[in-house]
Amino acid sequence: MLVAFRNNDSNTREMWLAGAPGGGAFSKWTAVSSTEGFLDMCPMQGPRLAQKGLTDRLAVWSARGAQDTGVVQLSTSANSGDSWSGGAPLGGFVGDEPTIAIGPSGRIFVTAVTG
């Protein structure tokens, strides 16, 4: 089981993943994002996860803050969440509360609240 969450210690925001190998206790913690730096506010939601294939994982979140426009970020993992790419802007997509889904053909869909 994997759970993604937003950490905000001392207003330094990062995205993390908690893992419970084999359905046991949560004992594995992995950084999904590189730090986004000091932010005096955060979006209401943390990252969203999707699984593509046996070992590929995807995470999306909004970088909205006092100095950010709300660029949607994407981080990838090719090893079941053991390590992550750190995150990068998803094209020019700006929005809050992004979510992600994988269609039957493997196509990736990302939606967000805009405006």
Side-chain angles (χ1 to χ4, degrees):
M1 179 187 308
L2 302 175
V3 174
F5 63 97
R6 179 188 72 225
N7 186 35
N8 198 37
D9 288 337
S10 302
N11 289 331
T12 299
R13 183 174 63 196
E14 302 164 316
M15 305 304 159
W16 283 80
L17 183 82
F26 285 97
S27 60
K28 186 174 184 179
W29 309 92
T30 308
V32 173
S33 72
S34 303
T35 183
E36 292 183 40
F38 180 83
L39 296 169
D40 60 359
M41 61 184 189
C42 286
M44 294 178 62
Q45 293 182 333
R48 298 291 189 237
L49 294 173
Q51 178 175 336
K52 184 176 182 184
L54 293 176
T55 60
D56 291 343
R57 307 292 184 266
L58 307 165
V60 294
W61 66 92
S62 174
R64 170 118 17 222
Q67 303 300 318
D68 297 305
T69 59
V71 173
V72 174
Q73 300 280 318
L74 172 71
S75 187
T76 59
S77 172
N79 55 13
S80 299
D82 288 341
S83 63
W84 290 82
S85 65
L90 187 58
F93 191 13
V94 174
D96 289 320
E97 304 174 8
T99 194
I100 187 168
I102 309 291
S105 68
R107 187 173 180 180
I108 300 167
F109 297 90
V110 178
T111 63
V113 177
T114 60

